Amino acid sequence: MKVAVLVKQVPRTDKIKIDKESGTLIRKGVESILNPYCEYGLDLAVSLKKKYGIIEEITAFTMGPPGAELVLRRSIALGADKGVLLSDKAFSGADCWATAYTLSCGLKTMGNPKLIICGKQAIDGDTAQVPGEISEISGMPVLPYVLDILELTEEKIVVVSEFENGTVTLETSLPAVVTVGSGSNIRRIPSVNDVLKAYESEIVVLDKTKAGCNDTDIGLKGSPTRVVKIEPAFSKGDCEMFDDGNFNEGFEKIKVFLMENNDEEN
Amino acid sequence: MSEMNRGIVAVCETDGNEKLKNVSFEIISEGKRLADITGEKVTAVVMAEKKPELSDIYACGADEIVFVRKVSSLLYDIESESWLASKVIEKIKPSVVLFGATDYGRILAPKVAAICRCGITADCTSFEINENKKLVQIRPALGGNILAHIISPHTMPQMASVRPSVLKKMKTEKEVTGHFVEVSFDIPENRKKVKELKRESFEANDDDKIENGRIIVAAGSGVTSRETLQLMNNFAKLIGGVSGCSRKLVESGWMPHSKQVGQSGKTVSPDIYIAIGISGASQHLAGMKTSGKIIAVNNDADADIFSVADIGFVMDGNLWLKEMMKFLENRQNNG
């Protein structure tokens, strides 16, 4: 069977600085990485391929400008067999729905894979909406927040999904979309050979025509939502500081907080 | 199209015991606040096996309750419930639909939006109504570094999921009541493909859930020994709080995901939040910075956590915990 992994190139949000005056992102010096949740998804696909003999091919998909092919090469270095880049000026400005639609078109070109693996969310937008929307647009069920896959055959999949207050073991027929919410926090380092292979691999590039997209459903035009304003998130910035020398004074203040809290409760 | 859509719908969520989750009351209350501005009515949609406690729902401001009796036994029946919600929405034709951004809500909502082919904004933390009567959906993005204001200019309904514990639950004191309807639909076969084979709840009882804690003590990557973590748990108990953590401690397997605060975990807003060894990545801050009082302990005086804190200690977490517990015990002994 064919497996697709959806990947996204994201800025390292833990290194982002915002211009407090203008509310804009200071891009200088912020590196782009493979979204960690997508990497978990890729790791899962690679381990499934090793474990079950039935996976012929893992294809990494992304949508983005030409430079986003780097994230596909990274995916190939980490074990994907090939990469497909959906890239067209007409895709720009896409919100979650238009992104999900465009990716769904791309998936169709490979004869609809039986299993579509996504990270549960990307660390830049953090919306977590694309996998659910793809599942609807492609008419497949979605199994979210997968921790482990217990069984995989040509017909069905059994997974353990983690929600905030417990886990459920779910079974569904294929095709299906799964999302992955956790994985090893030790980043795999591909071998030199794998990196070389990745850089020699051909990346399939699909524009809107090759992907078979409707003009009215892509990019800004196809997006039902609009960002109308961006502002920096507030910070308090008036923290009273204590250290090894005067912590008891700080403790007195905490005691007051705790007592106030008790009064409210009683 | 927009002239036809009226009303605000809150899609509620129940827990394993068929009780409505807190976030459901929060979105009903927010729906009421918005409805008072736009002059619309609020409908709470409850999909559950049993009829919910109605008075609590009316007390938050719902004018109407639509109850859809669940027939499947799946705890999280994403496929059928996304379809059911879309059917109810098709009937009501509301202008706004709100979901709780729990793990379940965050997968249900985009599916409902895709079925209805309308815009949706995830994880909103506040709302406004603009001069064109559009819903302005405000959410943190880029790891909580910015707030984005988003609208759906051309499509209806305007959908959003709402971060739990951010908006306030309102309650009217008066005896209130409203309209109640029970509806049922035949769920199509292609929506019944997922089966639940097993269900395991994490042992956390209600008192131990971080979303219910009025005091939270949370550990970050600066907590490098199990002893310190144990000390922190003891301290949390001593002051009547619950323990939580940042993403790093979940990844290292020291704490369960259910205890994680932040963008990929839970948003909390307790009265007091005590952060031990948390550097304050924006993802973490996004999940806790609306807390009442924030106390931060970190070795590094430049740690970002201090930018949102009220009181900061540049100290080793282990030492701080020991000294703090000593301090509180002395206080108790001395009356």
mmCIF file of all heavy atoms in Angstrom, chain A residues 73-89:
data_model
loop_
_atom_site.group_PDB
_atom_site.id
_atom_site.type_symbol
_atom_site.label_atom_id
_atom_site.label_comp_id
_atom_site.label_asym_id
_atom_site.label_seq_id
_atom_site.Cartn_x
_atom_site.Cartn_y
_atom_site.Cartn_z
ATOM 1 N N ARG A 73 13.229 17.201 1.103
ATOM 2 C CA ARG A 73 14.535 16.524 1.071
ATOM 3 C C ARG A 73 14.898 16.030 2.474
ATOM 4 O O ARG A 73 15.428 14.945 2.648
ATOM 5 C CB ARG A 73 15.612 17.451 0.523
ATOM 6 C CG ARG A 73 15.347 17.851 -0.913
ATOM 7 C CD ARG A 73 16.595 18.207 -1.676
ATOM 8 N NE ARG A 73 16.252 18.747 -2.981
ATOM 9 C CZ ARG A 73 16.032 18.000 -4.065
ATOM 10 N NH1 ARG A 73 16.159 16.682 -4.006
ATOM 11 N NH2 ARG A 73 15.692 18.559 -5.213
ATOM 12 N N ARG A 74 14.606 16.835 3.449
ATOM 13 C CA ARG A 74 14.835 16.422 4.839
ATOM 14 C C ARG A 74 14.002 15.156 5.145
ATOM 15 O O ARG A 74 14.488 14.212 5.763
ATOM 16 C CB ARG A 74 14.442 17.565 5.772
ATOM 17 C CG ARG A 74 14.283 17.202 7.215
ATOM 18 C CD ARG A 74 15.529 17.523 8.028
ATOM 19 N NE ARG A 74 15.385 17.060 9.399
ATOM 20 C CZ ARG A 74 16.357 16.482 10.097
ATOM 21 N NH1 ARG A 74 17.545 16.312 9.564
ATOM 22 N NH2 ARG A 74 16.156 16.081 11.332
ATOM 23 N N SER A 75 12.753 15.141 4.661
ATOM 24 C CA SER A 75 11.872 13.982 4.903
ATOM 25 C C SER A 75 12.429 12.738 4.213
ATOM 26 O O SER A 75 12.374 11.636 4.775
ATOM 27 C CB SER A 75 10.460 14.265 4.382
ATOM 28 O OG SER A 75 9.939 15.421 4.992
ATOM 29 N N ILE A 76 12.971 12.925 3.005
ATOM 30 C CA ILE A 76 13.552 11.777 2.304
ATOM 31 C C ILE A 76 14.780 11.277 3.070
ATOM 32 O O ILE A 76 14.964 10.079 3.262
ATOM 33 C CB ILE A 76 13.905 12.146 0.842
ATOM 34 C CG1 ILE A 76 12.610 12.448 0.067
ATOM 35 C CG2 ILE A 76 14.674 11.009 0.163
ATOM 36 C CD1 ILE A 76 12.820 13.048 -1.318
ATOM 37 N N ALA A 77 15.580 12.205 3.555
ATOM 38 C CA ALA A 77 16.753 11.802 4.338
ATOM 39 C C ALA A 77 16.336 11.010 5.567
ATOM 40 O O ALA A 77 17.049 10.131 6.036
ATOM 41 C CB ALA A 77 17.565 13.034 4.736
ATOM 42 N N LEU A 78 15.160 11.305 6.080
ATOM 43 C CA LEU A 78 14.684 10.613 7.285
ATOM 44 C C LEU A 78 13.880 9.360 6.953
ATOM 45 O O LEU A 78 13.345 8.714 7.858
ATOM 46 C CB LEU A 78 13.836 11.570 8.136
ATOM 47 C CG LEU A 78 14.609 12.694 8.844
ATOM 48 C CD1 LEU A 78 13.647 13.693 9.457
ATOM 49 C CD2 LEU A 78 15.537 12.128 9.912
ATOM 50 N N GLY A 79 13.744 9.023 5.685
ATOM 51 C CA GLY A 79 13.127 7.730 5.377
ATOM 52 C C GLY A 79 11.981 7.739 4.391
ATOM 53 O O GLY A 79 11.491 6.672 4.016
ATOM 54 N N ALA A 80 11.528 8.921 3.935
ATOM 55 C CA ALA A 80 10.484 8.930 2.903
ATOM 56 C C ALA A 80 11.112 8.492 1.575
ATOM 57 O O ALA A 80 12.325 8.654 1.373
ATOM 58 C CB ALA A 80 9.882 10.326 2.770
ATOM 59 N N ASP A 81 10.301 7.910 0.690
ATOM 60 C CA ASP A 81 10.837 7.466 -0.593
ATOM 61 C C ASP A 81 10.822 8.569 -1.635
ATOM 62 O O ASP A 81 11.654 8.610 -2.510
ATOM 63 C CB ASP A 81 10.035 6.268 -1.100
ATOM 64 C CG ASP A 81 10.165 5.092 -0.148
ATOM 65 O OD1 ASP A 81 11.273 4.558 -0.045
ATOM 66 O OD2 ASP A 81 9.173 4.758 0.544
ATOM 67 N N LYS A 82 9.820 9.431 -1.565
ATOM 68 C CA LYS A 82 9.823 10.552 -2.491
ATOM 69 C C LYS A 82 9.083 11.763 -1.928
ATOM 70 O O LYS A 82 8.445 11.673 -0.878
ATOM 71 C CB LYS A 82 9.258 10.130 -3.848
ATOM 72 C CG LYS A 82 7.825 9.661 -3.833
ATOM 73 C CD LYS A 82 7.496 9.119 -5.225
ATOM 74 C CE LYS A 82 6.105 9.480 -5.636
ATOM 75 N NZ LYS A 82 5.632 8.740 -6.793
ATOM 76 N N GLY A 83 9.197 12.863 -2.652
ATOM 77 C CA GLY A 83 8.580 14.085 -2.163
ATOM 78 C C GLY A 83 7.738 14.749 -3.230
ATOM 79 O O GLY A 83 8.103 14.747 -4.399
ATOM 80 N N VAL A 84 6.599 15.281 -2.827
ATOM 81 C CA VAL A 84 5.730 16.011 -3.751
ATOM 82 C C VAL A 84 5.508 17.418 -3.190
ATOM 83 O O VAL A 84 5.083 17.581 -2.041
ATOM 84 C CB VAL A 84 4.369 15.302 -3.933
ATOM 85 C CG1 VAL A 84 3.458 16.138 -4.835
ATOM 86 C CG2 VAL A 84 4.553 13.906 -4.513
ATOM 87 N N LEU A 85 5.826 18.408 -4.008
ATOM 88 C CA LEU A 85 5.660 19.802 -3.590
ATOM 89 C C LEU A 85 4.522 20.435 -4.377
ATOM 90 O O LEU A 85 4.561 20.489 -5.605
ATOM 91 C CB LEU A 85 6.966 20.572 -3.850
ATOM 92 C CG LEU A 85 6.917 22.094 -3.675
ATOM 93 C CD1 LEU A 85 6.650 22.470 -2.214
ATOM 94 C CD2 LEU A 85 8.228 22.735 -4.135
ATOM 95 N N LEU A 86 3.517 20.901 -3.655
ATOM 96 C CA LEU A 86 2.433 21.649 -4.283
ATOM 97 C C LEU A 86 2.820 23.112 -4.232
ATOM 98 O O LEU A 86 2.914 23.700 -3.152
ATOM 99 C CB LEU A 86 1.126 21.401 -3.538
ATOM 100 C CG LEU A 86 0.587 19.994 -3.805
ATOM 101 C CD1 LEU A 86 0.094 19.363 -2.532
ATOM 102 C CD2 LEU A 86 -0.494 20.035 -4.859
ATOM 103 N N SER A 87 3.126 23.666 -5.397
ATOM 104 C CA SER A 87 3.650 25.023 -5.409
ATOM 105 C C SER A 87 3.099 25.800 -6.596
ATOM 106 O O SER A 87 3.187 25.349 -7.730
ATOM 107 C CB SER A 87 5.183 24.973 -5.469
ATOM 108 O OG SER A 87 5.716 26.233 -5.160
ATOM 109 N N ASP A 88 2.505 26.926 -6.296
ATOM 110 C CA ASP A 88 1.919 27.768 -7.334
ATOM 111 C C ASP A 88 1.650 29.117 -6.678
ATOM 112 O O ASP A 88 1.225 29.159 -5.509
ATOM 113 C CB ASP A 88 0.592 27.155 -7.809
ATOM 114 C CG ASP A 88 0.128 27.745 -9.133
ATOM 115 O OD1 ASP A 88 0.102 28.987 -9.253
ATOM 116 O OD2 ASP A 88 -0.222 26.968 -10.030
ATOM 117 N N LYS A 89 1.888 30.194 -7.410
ATOM 118 C CA LYS A 89 1.608 31.522 -6.834
ATOM 119 C C LYS A 89 0.153 31.621 -6.395
ATOM 120 O O LYS A 89 -0.179 32.291 -5.438
ATOM 121 C CB LYS A 89 1.915 32.614 -7.862
ATOM 122 C CG LYS A 89 3.399 32.893 -7.967
ATOM 123 C CD LYS A 89 3.669 34.370 -8.282
ATOM 124 C CE LYS A 89 5.151 34.669 -8.276
ATOM 125 N NZ LYS A 89 5.796 34.404 -9.587
#
